[in-house]
Amino acid sequence: MKNHSSQHFPMTKRQKLVLFSASSGFGLENMDVLFLSFTLSSLIAEFHLTTGAAGLIGTITNWGMLLGGILFGWLGDRFGRVRIFSVTILFFAIPTVLMSVTTNLTQIYFLRLLAGIGAGGEYGLGITLVAETFPQKMLGRLSSLTALGGQVGAALAAICAALIIPAWGWRALYLMALLPLLLIFLVRNKLTESPSFINEKPASRNNLWHRLRQDLFGTKTLRRNTFGLMTMVTVQIAGYFGLMNWLPTIVQQQSHLQVAGSSLWMIATIIGISIGMLTFGTLLDHYGPRQTFGIFLIAAAGLVYTITLAHSIVVLIILGAVIGFFANGMYGGYGAIVSQLYPTAVRASANNIIMGTGRAVGGLSSVVIGILMEHFNLLVVMLFLSTLYLISFIVMITLPGFKTYNH
């Protein structure tokens, strides 16, 4: 085991700006995406939606993330991470603002698709900037720290929902999506491209589609890594959006809590996720992915059951934090792994394609959970999620890339 914890790493001005920009981008993106969690009950009531139709809103958002991941990942590898990064921010902010004036379900689906396209592109570009700016031995901690920005955004979404919805209604909440537009000016004016991208041969960027096929799927080992990581991210997203999109509604129904009460539960869950991310990133740098993912996946598979035992706000808060720690603490590690396993020429695309596929497929959990809630009890929903984490564990222990990960 290598001990890096005692090593001090003074960051340059550019490194600080990259870390701040990527973290802020993730936070503002996640804030916009999770507004759906707090307005879902209102949307169901106002537009008379079934739970399946309501769940499809989140699923469409995740399909958009796949489209945006492929499109903006290619553009970022072709024309530069920084330039395209600012475009993605604009792309997810404007449709989210327009949710405040939507009048029917078709408009909601369309706007969430557009917002997903922007959000899906933003992830790979931000994490690639971090990976190309810091030493490889620090990627676990720094990718988790960057992902932590997403949880800050989730906390902001919960706070905004508790304050804005009771006073001004659900539509006013979406106006908060104007905030990401401020980040564009910072990125445009202050951030520069990474040296590794600048030094990449132009020929590699001109033949990017060929490089993608070769570097992601060219050999049996590469295919096992790529499809295995897609499967693991699918489970990660299924658990995250399944829990975060539906459990506020479940909590309100099960314990008869108002929006402010469910917001308190979500804040506790977010705190647990945040501590889990920081812990996971440190363990990843020290012990590697097999041991670290193994602990978190097995714990998540067992702990999701405990939510069925909760019938008071105190117990829900405690369980939310513990489940969040293990089930979603892993999220930040994928960027570090993908960024190390794939070369500079396709790094943004690899991050976005793998994460985008996981979001698109894993996003179906919102629909599945909605259907399960209509026909079964909460125990069946948790059994579904637990089984997914066990599948991810089995896939994880077979991945060649996890055996050779440099930590």
Side-chain angles (χ1 to χ4, degrees), residues 211-229:
R211 288 295 304 271
L212 280 173
R213 292 194 301 270
Q214 176 182 316
D215 292 333
L216 270 69
F217 307 103
T219 67
K220 182 178 179 180
T221 297
L222 287 172
R223 288 192 294 272
R224 287 177 62 189
N225 283 332
T226 300
F227 287 119
L229 285 167

Side-chain angles (χ1 to χ4, degrees), residues 375-395:
H375 297 93
F376 302 98
N377 58 26
L378 186 58
L379 182 63
V380 174
V381 174
M382 296 303 125
L383 177 63
F384 165 71
L385 291 173
S386 180
T387 301
L388 290 181
Y389 286 118
L390 291 176
I391 291 172
S392 183
F393 174 81
I394 293 171
V395 171

Side-chain angles (χ1 to χ4, degrees), residues 132-207:
E132 294 177 351
T133 303
F134 292 92
Q136 194 174 62
K137 65 185 180 182
M138 302 177 65
L139 281 187
R141 281 166 287 177
L142 289 174
S143 64
S144 292
L145 184 62
T146 303
L148 186 61
Q151 299 314 302
V152 174
L156 286 175
I159 293 169
C160 290
L163 297 175
I164 292 174
I165 293 178
W168 294 290
W170 68 269
R171 293 179 182 274
L173 182 63
Y174 285 99
L175 294 176
M176 295 300 295
L178 292 169
L179 289 175
L181 301 180
L182 299 175
L183 184 60
I184 294 176
F185 296 102
L186 175 67
V187 173
R188 285 278 191 173
N189 296 328
K190 301 292 185 180
L191 204 56
T192 58
E193 294 292 348
S194 64
S196 59
F197 175 80
I198 294 172
N199 295 331
E200 184 71 21
K201 294 179 180 179
S204 296
R205 300 200 289 269
N206 292 334
N207 297 291

